[in-house]
Amino acid sequence: THVTGLYEQILNELGVDYVIRGEGERAIATLLRYLEGRVKKKDIPGLAYKQDGFIRINDIDHLWNLNEMPDPAYDIFQKELYANARFHTACVRGSYLIDYVFSRGCPNNCSFCMATKVHGPVNRTFSLDRIRGQFREIKVLGYDEILLEDDDVFINKDISLRVFEELNKLGFHWSILNGVNSAKLTPDFVEAIASFGCDRIYYPVESINFSIIEPHKTFWRKFRAKLNNTPHFIRMLIEAGVETFGGFMIGFPGETREQIHKTIESVSYTHLTLPTN
């Protein structure tokens, strides 16, 4: 993410020879073949480099069929390193947890987010057979908690629910830590998520001031009413038995001190307590 957005800074200030922008799997392998003299520099997707004092860039070529990739070598991970409450959510329910991404790409293109810049605007997913196989391998290796980190977890609700169902069948603790489009959070969908055992959802409050966030989140303008109704969604999730935690941003261009304080104050009313009965 960092080098995709700031490749000029990296090349100019850090003495780096090559930067790969966008997805790296195919590009890094092609770069290695270039260093061996087997391909030309122009064949490396997303490459940025200096030549004759100028920065040159190759076009990013996204991996459109995720099933072309081999499975990660999960067996070489040291799972003990991730069994601690500081990892991502400050909340660990299982013994060993692992991040997982079953799709890539986001059409929203919010200006403050690098998802579209890195993975492109077209969402695509691994096949369900690949996902099931990877979940089973992860389970055999002793992991019992999965943290979903997709760019937009709910972009295809049917596929998402089948992924959630598989997690539930295999007995994983699981949470959603990224890419939540609140416009998809209908009561029925929330109930379905809860029924498959979701422990926790990251909710992107971002800013309570719609006038500040609107220029940066143009895709969501039609959802304005929902964006201004954060407590409704938090309450709906909590009542379904799903914990929430929020993401808040301050310091947008043109944002005033008063608007910043309004977002900070909003944290207090998103911590909702339900009646004990």
Side-chain angles (χ1 to χ4, degrees), residues 20-28 30 42-47 58-65 68 104 117-120 124:
I20 291 173
R21 300 154 48 246
E23 296 167 338
E25 290 91 357
R26 269 191 315 200
I28 196 83
T30 310
K42 65 179 180 61
D43 298 323
I44 307 168
L47 185 72
N58 294 348
D59 290 339
I60 295 174
D61 183 19
H62 297 291
L63 185 64
W64 300 115
N65 181 3
E68 292 178 2
R104 287 184 184 178
K117 288 80 173 174
V118 174
H119 291 141
R124 60 269 189 212

Side-chain angles (χ1 to χ4, degrees), residues 73-144:
Y74 294 114
D75 58 305
I76 68 172
F77 294 177
Q78 298 179 55
K79 61 178 179 288
E80 293 77 14
L81 296 178
Y82 306 103
N84 115 23
R86 291 179 300 170
F87 186 79
H88 261 301
T89 63
C91 183
V92 177
R93 290 173 172 81
S95 298
Y96 300 106
L97 70 167
I98 192 168
D99 279 296
Y100 188 83
V101 174
F102 64 86
S103 68
R104 287 184 184 178
C106 182
N108 297 344
N109 200 25
C110 302
S111 68
F112 50 78
C113 178
M114 287 297 294
T116 306
K117 288 80 173 174
V118 174
H119 291 141
V122 178
N123 183 267
R124 60 269 189 212
T125 66
F126 285 101
S127 69
L128 287 168
D129 285 342
R130 282 289 299 276
I131 294 167
R132 290 188 191 101
Q134 290 176 357
F135 283 167
R136 288 168 187 157
E137 180 184 357
I138 289 168
K139 189 74 174 179
V140 167
L141 290 170
Y143 294 94
D144 54 3

Side-chain angles (χ1 to χ4, degrees), residues 10-205:
I10 301 296
L11 290 167
N12 284 326
E13 299 179 14
L14 298 185
V16 170
D17 295 312
Y18 303 109
V19 164
I20 291 173
R21 300 154 48 246
E23 296 167 338
E25 290 91 357
R26 269 191 315 200
I28 196 83
T30 310
L31 174 61
L32 292 174
R33 289 197 294 272
Y34 163 74
L35 295 175
E36 294 173 340
R38 297 163 56 191
V39 299
K40 295 182 179 180
K41 202 179 287 184
K42 65 179 180 61
D43 298 323
I44 307 168
L47 185 72
Y49 58 96
K50 271 191 166 183
Q51 182 175 302
D52 301 326
F54 296 95
I55 292 177
R56 314 287 186 183
I57 59 172
N58 294 348
D59 290 339
I60 295 174
D61 183 19
H62 297 291
L63 185 64
W64 300 115
N65 181 3
L66 300 187
N67 290 318
E68 292 178 2
M69 286 195 295
D71 289 335
Y74 294 114
D75 58 305
I76 68 172
F77 294 177
Q78 298 179 55
K79 61 178 179 288
E80 293 77 14
L81 296 178
Y82 306 103
N84 115 23
R86 291 179 300 170
F87 186 79
H88 261 301
T89 63
C91 183
V92 177
R93 290 173 172 81
S95 298
Y96 300 106
L97 70 167
I98 192 168
D99 279 296
Y100 188 83
V101 174
F102 64 86
S103 68
R104 287 184 184 178
C106 182
N108 297 344
N109 200 25
C110 302
S111 68
F112 50 78
C113 178
M114 287 297 294
T116 306
K117 288 80 173 174
V118 174
H119 291 141
V122 178
N123 183 267
R124 60 269 189 212
T125 66
F126 285 101
S127 69
L128 287 168
D129 285 342
R130 282 289 299 276
I131 294 167
R132 290 188 191 101
Q134 290 176 357
F135 283 167
R136 288 168 187 157
E137 180 184 357
I138 289 168
K139 189 74 174 179
V140 167
L141 290 170
Y143 294 94
D144 54 3
E145 183 165 1
I146 287 183
L147 311 178
L148 298 177
E149 292 265 22
D150 294 59
D151 295 332
D152 188 341
V153 182
F154 301 151
I155 196 163
N156 186 320
K157 292 167 73 172
D158 291 337
I159 291 177
S160 297
L161 288 176
R162 294 177 74 178
V163 171
F164 303 159
E165 182 180 19
E166 194 66 26
L167 287 167
N168 188 51
K169 282 181 181 177
L170 291 171
F172 282 110
H173 297 283
W174 63 278
S175 301
I176 296 172
L177 302 189
N178 193 34
V180 170
N181 186 335
S182 60
K184 304 284 183 75
L185 288 176
T186 61
D188 288 347
F189 191 52
V190 169
E191 287 296 329
I193 293 170
S195 72
F196 291 132
C198 180
D199 292 316
R200 209 169 191 221
I201 282 184
Y202 160 82
Y203 188 87
V205 179

Side-chain angles (χ1 to χ4, degrees), residues 120 190 264 269:
V190 169
I264 293 172
Y269 70 71

